[in-house]
Amino acid sequence: MTRTVQTSVCIIGAGPSGLLLSQLLANAGIDTVVLDRKDRAYIESRVRAGVLEQGTVEAMEEAGAADRLHREGLPHEGFKLAFDGDQHRIDLTGLTGKTVMVYGQTEMTKDLFDKRTAEGQAFYFNVDDVVPTELKTDRPSVHFKHDGEQVVVECDFVAGCDGFHGVSRRAIPSDILRTFERIYPFGWLGILTERPPVSHELIYANHERGFALASMRSETRSRYYIQCDVNDDVADWSDDRFWQEFARRLGPDAAANLQTGPSFEKSIAPLRSFVAEPMRYGNLFLAGDSAHIVPPTGAKGLNLAAADVRILNRALVEYYKNGNAQYIDTYSETVLKRVWKVERFSWQLSTLMHQFPENSDFEKRMQRAEFDYLCSSEAASRSIAENYVGLPLD
Ligand code: APR
Ligand code: PHB
């Protein structure tokens, strides 16, 4: 027995991309069905980054889901880069007139789930065997299993918001899909601890022993990272070992205010840069991690996904409201132009701030010279700042 469901846009994935797209389309009166292979509790349990560009905050405001973000988020006007203990502050507001908002991505996902649920959004959780079909026709469909029942969603468009490991990208024929990838020779070991942050602004540090990042979730909860071997086992990293390494890499000045304590989350993540082209195939549109991955150094993963969604939402609303397919037809070209610029920034900052096993002494000097140039050039600092606060949508 197959259940058939009709909608305008079928969204595969209920992470930040899928939820934000569903809300923005709902605000324009466009009906969606959202399906995910996990459930809400699992999706909300994933620990992710926590720096939002102004554009992402605006997207949440457009979605009508920014109240808690403005109550609990921490506006930041700058951050620090450190090299072997020397520090340079990137004055985001002084250089760009903008700020970024420190607010856990998990919180943003919760806010979007609350809003979509309050508005009666149709969700299918814990689905299996998702297969997008008929993508080159005017009425594509998405088949899947849910609660032991075969379901088919017939729609006008399919939004592939199912992340790096999803099925949407793989629905694009291999003779059309092109992928580009850089896998970094290290990982990030991250912890969460209920201790006040070591600094009221983020500190990105490159030390001869490796990279470290001091971030936060609130004024009482800190998020810290150190570069580690991608094959490291979290079990080999006791809290004491982490704190000792973290303090060494920050340097004595920055670590002077470090309050250590028990970690309640500890995990290792690999780093990669990845882009899939095109981001449209027939009436399938990719948005977010289904189409691209950035190393977390530039805090761009969620922000790049939100920008994709804003561009896709504009295209779909223009089509439904005015019958104009112009933005739909140029979606992939438009969004990829920005994706590659953000990939460049994330790669550049990762290359500058990490210790690469294969780096020669010359390349290590180039890293230090780049840092010294940033310290001495307002133009160079402005370049970092304008990328960090977020590039224009197009
Ligand atoms: N069928 C249905 N849902 C799927 C499938 C599938 N075959 N495969 C994956 N999913 C779901 C996942 O369970 C997840 O909830 O798609 C969702 C994808 O969410 P994310 O991986 O978070 O990707 P995205 O929404 O694009 O978010 C991008 O937020 O989560 C971070 O690291 C991510 O910073 C990035 C940003
Ligand atoms: C985080 O707070 O998790 C975070 C902040 C900035 C980054 C990466 C991660 O560049």
Side-chain angles (χ1 to χ4, degrees):
M1 172 68 178
T2 297
R3 174 204 292 253
T4 301
V5 176
Q6 305 290 335
T7 191
S8 298
V9 181
C10 183
I11 300 175
I12 306 175
S17 298
L19 291 169
L20 179 60
L21 179 62
S22 174
Q23 186 58 53
L24 293 178
L25 289 173
N27 289 355
I30 299 165
D31 180 65
T32 63
V33 164
V34 181
L35 51 119
D36 200 292
R37 66 182 175 184
K38 300 295 184 185
D39 62 17
R40 172 171 178 172
Y42 181 94
I43 295 165
E44 290 183 346
S45 70
R46 292 187 308 228
V47 179
R48 294 292 168 82
V51 174
L52 306 187
E53 296 173 357
Q54 211 156 292
T56 303
V57 174
E58 289 165 8
M60 288 294 281
E61 290 166 348
E62 288 164 24
D67 291 349
R68 190 162 72 102
L69 163 61
H70 283 302
R71 279 200 315 273
E72 299 177 13
L74 303 171
H76 277 212
E77 298 186 354
F79 68 90
K80 294 190 180 81
L81 296 174
F83 238 85
D84 291 330
D86 297 329
Q87 287 195 4
H88 172 62
R89 180 173 185 268
I90 300 291
D91 179 5
L92 296 174
T93 304
L95 291 166
T96 70
K98 295 182 179 178
T99 61
V100 293
M101 185 75 84
V102 172
Y103 186 69
Q105 177 178 313
T106 307
E107 306 317 313
M108 178 172 156
T109 304
K110 287 176 183 172
D111 296 339
L112 287 167
F113 259 128
D114 286 346
K115 181 77 174 174
R116 293 309 306 125
T117 305
E119 294 188 359
Q121 171 61 40
F123 283 107
Y124 288 87
F125 292 119
N126 298 313
V127 301
D128 288 308
D129 304 333
V130 176
V131 180
T133 65
E134 314 295 320
L135 296 173
K136 299 288 273 187
T137 70
D138 290 341
R139 196 73 183 156
S141 53
V142 178
H143 301 250
F144 57 92
K145 287 196 178 70
H146 178 256
D147 275 350
E149 188 179 35
Q150 186 63 38
V151 182
V152 56
V153 175
E154 296 179 350
C155 53
D156 299 326
F157 303 104
V158 178
C161 300
D162 47 350
F164 184 68
H165 301 289
V167 294
S168 299
R169 182 176 72 248
R170 293 171 177 82
I172 300 178
S174 57
D175 61 333
I176 292 175
L177 187 72
R178 283 194 67 189
T179 59
F180 307 81
E181 187 167 55
R182 161 97 157 101
I183 293 176
Y184 295 85
F186 41 75
W188 277 20
L189 167 62
I191 71 160
L192 280 170
T193 183
E194 286 297 349
R195 288 291 185 277
V198 67
S199 163
H200 70 285
E201 292 185 328
L202 273 65
I203 303 173
Y204 295 78
N206 184 343
H207 184 276
E208 62 183 9
R209 296 177 63 87
F211 169 83
L213 168 59
S215 184
M216 64 202 71
R217 289 292 174 272
S218 68
E219 288 165 356
T220 59
R221 177 173 293 185
S222 296
R223 178 63 164 166
Y224 295 139
Y225 300 91
I226 57 173
Q227 172 185 345
C228 68
D229 187 308
V230 71
N231 298 313
D232 272 2
D233 184 335
V234 177
D236 295 333
W237 282 93
S238 68
D239 284 355
D240 287 346
R241 183 186 176 198
F242 178 89
W243 290 123
Q244 186 178 24
E245 194 61 38
F246 183 68
R248 288 182 73 171
R249 296 183 187 188
L250 275 193
D253 294 347
N257 306 320
L258 181 60
Q259 294 187 43
T260 64
S263 65
F264 63 88
E265 197 278 341
K266 191 184 289 177
S267 55
I268 292 176
L271 275 70
R272 83 173 71 229
S273 298
F274 173 85
V275 178
E277 295 181 355
M279 287 178 58
R280 177 199 183 184
Y281 174 71
N283 284 317
L284 168 68
F285 297 85
L286 304 183
D289 276 17
S290 62
H292 43 68
I293 296 289
V294 283
T297 323
K300 291 303 172 193
L302 172 59
N303 293 298
L304 189 51
D308 290 356
V309 166
R310 297 180 81 188
I311 294 169
L312 179 55
N313 174 66
R314 179 179 67 187
L316 293 171
V317 169
E318 179 63 16
Y319 172 77
Y320 279 107
K321 295 300 182 194
N322 303 318
N324 177 6
Q326 173 195 350
Y327 291 135
I328 279 179
D329 292 341
T330 56
Y331 170 73
S332 185
E333 177 194 354
T334 302
V335 73
L336 278 167
K337 201 179 289 291
R338 188 178 188 283
V339 164
W340 278 112
K341 284 189 264 187
V342 175
E343 288 281 348
R344 182 208 66 82
F345 172 69
S346 303
W347 162 81
Q348 176 201 37
L349 199 58
S350 300
T351 303
L352 174 63
M353 297 309 294
H354 289 82
Q355 292 292 310
F356 287 74
E358 72 273 19
N359 268 5
S360 65
D361 287 345
F362 175 81
E363 282 149 333
K364 290 178 182 176
R365 282 286 191 277
M366 285 298 98
Q367 284 182 314
R368 179 70 209 209
E370 175 77 22
F371 174 75
D372 291 337
Y373 173 53
L374 277 173
C375 294
S376 62
S377 164
E378 184 175 296
S381 291
R382 179 173 286 109
S383 173
I384 295 286
E386 69 178 13
N387 279 278
Y388 198 87
V389 298
L391 298 176
L393 270 194
D394 51 11

